Amino acid sequence: MVSNSETDDADDAAVALLDDRRTRLHELGHIDEAQCRRFQSTVEFAGRKWNAAILLAGVRGARRFSEYRSTVTGISDRLLAARLKELEDEGVLERHVRATTPVTITYTPSTAGLQLIELLQPLVEWGRARPAETERSAG
């Protein structure tokens, strides 16, 4: 049986943790409407289906279209081509064209792409720490 003092200690620790997080969020300062829109579009870009998987494939060594296609399971050729173009336009992938016969096109993560993958890593860790969806729905 858990004593009242142990429960109180746990409650106090939880409150202290929440207070600490509130303080850190408050220290971020005011976020104006333009910053909020920029944040929203950034999160939507990073979370758009296939973007992270394609970028991760590039970080893991995929260079040619066929390598991305074999690494990113389930994406159609048309959608992969569109996503590669979007990722290039956003500056997270770099497209390299070599004048060979036939022409060789490769894609590599840019510095911004590597930064994005690094920034997404804490989300991966957060997801691993959460119960699986089947556990949440059964609970």
Side-chain angles (χ1 to χ4, degrees), residues 87-106:
L87 292 167
E88 178 191 359
D89 290 346
E90 288 292 329
V92 296
L93 279 183
E94 295 173 350
R95 183 176 187 256
H96 309 276
V97 180
R98 284 198 341 236
T100 58
T101 305
V103 172
T104 303
I105 299 173
T106 58

Side-chain angles (χ1 to χ4, degrees), residues 17-115:
L17 181 62
L18 284 173
D19 287 344
D20 180 54
R21 287 185 176 157
R22 281 189 193 109
T23 300
R24 283 188 287 150
L25 287 172
H26 182 70
E27 289 170 357
L28 291 174
H30 173 72
I31 298 175
D32 66 24
E33 191 173 330
Q35 289 173 318
C36 189
R37 282 194 304 271
R38 179 72 176 159
F39 171 78
Q40 184 66 33
S41 70
T42 300
V43 169
E44 288 174 2
F45 169 75
R48 187 169 298 137
K49 189 169 184 177
W50 305 113
N51 280 1
I54 293 167
L55 189 54
L56 184 60
V59 168
R60 290 183 172 167
R63 295 293 174 256
R64 306 212 39 201
F65 185 91
S66 60
E67 294 169 337
Y68 281 95
R69 183 179 53 219
S70 66
T71 304
V72 182
T73 308
I75 191 170
S76 69
D77 287 358
R78 189 172 131 221
L79 186 54
L80 176 58
R83 288 291 192 261
L84 287 169
K85 175 83 171 101
E86 288 173 15
L87 292 167
E88 178 191 359
D89 290 346
E90 288 292 329
V92 296
L93 279 183
E94 295 173 350
R95 183 176 187 256
H96 309 276
V97 180
R98 284 198 341 236
T100 58
T101 305
V103 172
T104 303
I105 299 173
T106 58
Y107 298 89
T108 57
S110 66
T111 301
L114 295 172
Q115 288 172 335

Side-chain angles (χ1 to χ4, degrees), residues 34 46 125:
E125 298 302 322

